[in-house]
Amino acid sequence: MPDKLTTLFTKEISRREFFRGAGGFIVNHWLLSLLPVGGAGVLGWAEHDTRELQSEIWDLFYPKLPKVLEGKTVCQLSDLHLETLKISPQRIIETTMAQKPDLLVLTGDIISTRTDLDKVNPYLEKLSAPYGKYVVLGNNDYSHLSHTLLKRFLKQLQGLGWIPLLNESSFIPSLNLWIIGIDDPATAHDNVDLAYQNLLTAQTSAHTSPPTSPTPPFRLALAHSTDCLDDVAFYGADLLLTGHTHGGQIRIPGLPPLVTNTYLGKKGIYEGYHVIQGIPLYISRGIGESIIPLRFNVPPEITFFTLHQGNASPKYQTKDAK
């Protein structure tokens, strides 16, 4: 894959893509109605964008991809924020399962309040993938839970078949794949050294034993925020999946985006695919919202990455979910 990618992949520019080029900072709903572009119309457009779930479908190419991963699809969900989510469980399930993912990952901010624990099951229990479901936590997952309720939340996720990886890595032998789960950087729960410990121990053992595979394992890293990137780059990853920024959430021409909340976000990198410090990185726009329960020109997404052997540049297409 290329060492450096300085621009996002783009398609033919539509009205929506034009507006995505800038951002907006809006504190309350009523401020929308004060904008000169027109109150009720803007609110209606924002309501539409909040529900306009899209499938972002990527094909990624790696010269040294393990053969068992050829054609395998990883599905990423992020930032559900169940307190205010306006997209139904059924729609998320149907959109996800329509692509028949081989592996499911969820990159944090599932809940926004402690009462959201009662909303988790309908959204997550019917999602399935033959090679498993893995989850890391985000800042909102921590912010409103006591240690006792956090334990309940983790047991709830495990009961639904999701495997939490909190600064821990897990190997899937049948895929020759390591999943490195980094705990939430936004609340300083990240410990990348610890997250890579199992992988590093396995590498050390492999150096003293005959190799079981001529191809190195694929390293898929998960984190809620990109603020762990420096440490991930130190250890290396073939793909780092993150969220947290909501793609800006609300973006009005001439104004900064409502949400970025990351070091890279402040530098204008808050959604999509990039290669930074040698790490292929994807920042999901997520599904839900925070601060205010609206999106504007930043539709929610579920993302699918199909892995291929080769040297081609990444390719993608966007599909509106039904």
Side-chain angles (χ1 to χ4, degrees):
M1 301 187 70
D3 291 333
K4 185 178 291 184
L5 188 64
T6 57
T7 59
L8 289 173
F9 289 84
T10 58
K11 57 191 174 194
E12 184 178 352
I13 296 176
S14 64
R15 180 178 66 169
R16 177 177 306 285
E17 295 300 325
F18 170 79
F19 281 118
R20 283 187 195 173
F25 187 87
I26 297 168
V27 181
N28 289 299
H29 298 146
W30 59 266
L31 186 54
L32 282 166
S33 65
L34 299 180
L35 293 174
V37 289
V42 172
L43 278 172
W45 194 348
E47 284 286 349
H48 172 267
D49 286 357
T50 304
R51 302 173 189 270
E52 191 188 6
L53 182 63
Q54 294 183 344
S55 297
E56 299 287 350
I57 302 173
W58 288 81
D59 289 283
L60 303 181
F61 298 84
Y62 296 85
K64 296 182 179 180
L65 184 78
K67 290 183 179 180
V68 290
L69 281 175
E70 175 63 43
K72 296 295 191 296
T73 298
V74 178
C75 173
Q76 179 194 13
L77 298 93
S78 194
D79 296 270
L80 289 167
H81 291 281
L82 292 178
E83 180 187 20
T84 56
L85 186 60
K86 298 179 180 180
I87 301 171
S88 70
Q90 189 61 31
R91 193 167 176 218
I92 289 175
I93 293 166
E94 289 178 355
T95 301
T96 301
M97 301 311 298
Q99 299 299 322
K100 299 179 180 179
D102 297 288
L103 186 70
L104 279 169
V105 300
L106 178 52
T107 50
D109 272 9
I110 303 161
I111 63 174
S112 293
T113 71
R114 58 185 60 85
T115 57
D116 292 341
L117 294 175
D118 296 331
K119 304 175 184 177
V120 169
N121 286 28
Y123 281 92
L124 299 185
E125 65 182 342
K126 293 183 180 179
L127 294 173
S128 63
Y131 293 96
K133 306 183 293 186
Y134 294 83
V135 58
V136 294
L137 298 186
N139 55 297
N140 280 278
D141 298 314
Y142 279 108
S143 295
H144 303 285
L145 297 182
S146 65
H147 287 292
T148 301
L149 287 179
L150 179 62
K151 288 191 293 183
R152 175 186 288 188
F153 182 38
L154 292 173
K155 288 180 180 179
Q156 182 178 7
L157 291 171
Q158 291 170 327
L160 298 174
W162 290 84
I163 300 172
L165 292 177
L166 308 184
N167 294 322
E168 184 180 3
S169 50
S170 179
F171 186 59
I172 304 178
S174 57
L175 292 180
N176 198 15
L177 168 72
W178 278 100
I179 302 179
I180 303 112
I182 299 159
D183 208 356
D184 177 49
T187 52
H189 283 85
D190 57 313
N191 185 334
V192 179
D193 297 335
L194 184 60
Y196 273 81
Q197 189 172 68
N198 290 346
L199 186 155
L200 296 174
T201 299
Q203 286 180 340
T204 302
S205 299
H207 290 156
T208 60
S209 305
T212 57
S213 172
T215 306
F218 191 92
R219 299 160 299 173
L220 173 63
L222 311 176
H224 182 57
S225 162
T226 57
D227 282 349
C228 62
L229 178 60
D230 288 355
D231 286 343
V232 172
F234 176 81
Y235 288 108
D238 298 294
L239 182 61
L240 170 60
L241 301 181
T242 68
H244 187 53
T245 66
H246 302 187
Q249 188 170 314
I250 291 178
R251 285 154 57 176
I252 304 294
L255 297 175
L258 174 64
V259 179
T260 57
N261 293 335
T262 60
Y263 178 80
L264 287 178
K266 297 300 182 183
K267 296 179 177 294
I269 301 173
Y270 45 78
E271 74 162 320
Y273 182 90
H274 307 264
V275 176
I276 302 176
Q277 298 184 47
I279 301 298
L281 161 71
Y282 192 83
I283 307 170
S284 171
R285 300 190 303 268
I287 298 174
E289 308 81 40
S290 65
I291 305 177
I292 63 171
L294 287 174
R295 287 176 174 260
F296 190 74
N297 292 306
V298 188
E301 71 169 284
I302 297 175
T303 323
F304 303 88
F305 305 92
T306 300
L307 307 178
H308 303 280
Q309 196 169 45
N311 293 293
S313 297
K315 301 175 183 179
Y316 91 106
Q317 59 178 313
T318 299
K319 292 183 179 180
D320 291 333
K322 295 181 180 180

